[in-house]
Every structure is written in structure tokens, then in C-alpha cells.
Amino acid sequence: MNIRESALTTMAARGVLNAAQVAAAPRFRALWESMGGMGASAIDYGREQVDAAGRAI
């Protein structure tokens, strides 16, 4: 097993994290990503443009 694959496995191998923390990590990651924690996505230039200037009439 390559312990350098992720920070989680490295910290678990060094004894920094206990078994409960290692077990909770995949669930935390899934929840983080479902909330949009993955960061900004690329701009889709093929998508239809929308004017969102919000001009008062």
C-alpha cells in the first residue's frame, strides 16, 4: 500500500489520526463535495448567455 497516496493515509500511518477519524474522513469528504466544497468550476462558453445586470425599469 502506498501511504503517500493521500494526506489521510499518511497521517493514519504515522498515528496522527485515530480509527474513528479515518472512518469519518470519506463521509466528511462526500458531504463537503455535495455542499460545493470542490472549488470553482470552469466557465462553459457554450452555454447560453444571460443578462443579469438587474436594470431598474
Side-chain angles (χ1 to χ4, degrees):
M1 180 168 87
N2 184 6
I3 65 168
R4 293 185 181 162
E5 182 177 332
S6 72
L8 177 67
T9 55
T10 302
M11 290 190 294
R14 292 182 180 174
V16 176
L17 301 177
N18 62 30
Q21 291 170 321
V22 173
R27 178 160 169 80
F28 176 81
R29 180 180 179 183
L31 291 171
W32 175 262
E33 289 177 353
S34 71
M35 289 177 18
M38 292 182 288
S41 60
I43 297 172
D44 182 8
Y45 292 105
R47 198 172 59 179
E48 183 178 343
Q49 300 238 346
V50 177
D51 182 17
R55 296 183 190 118
I57 297 177

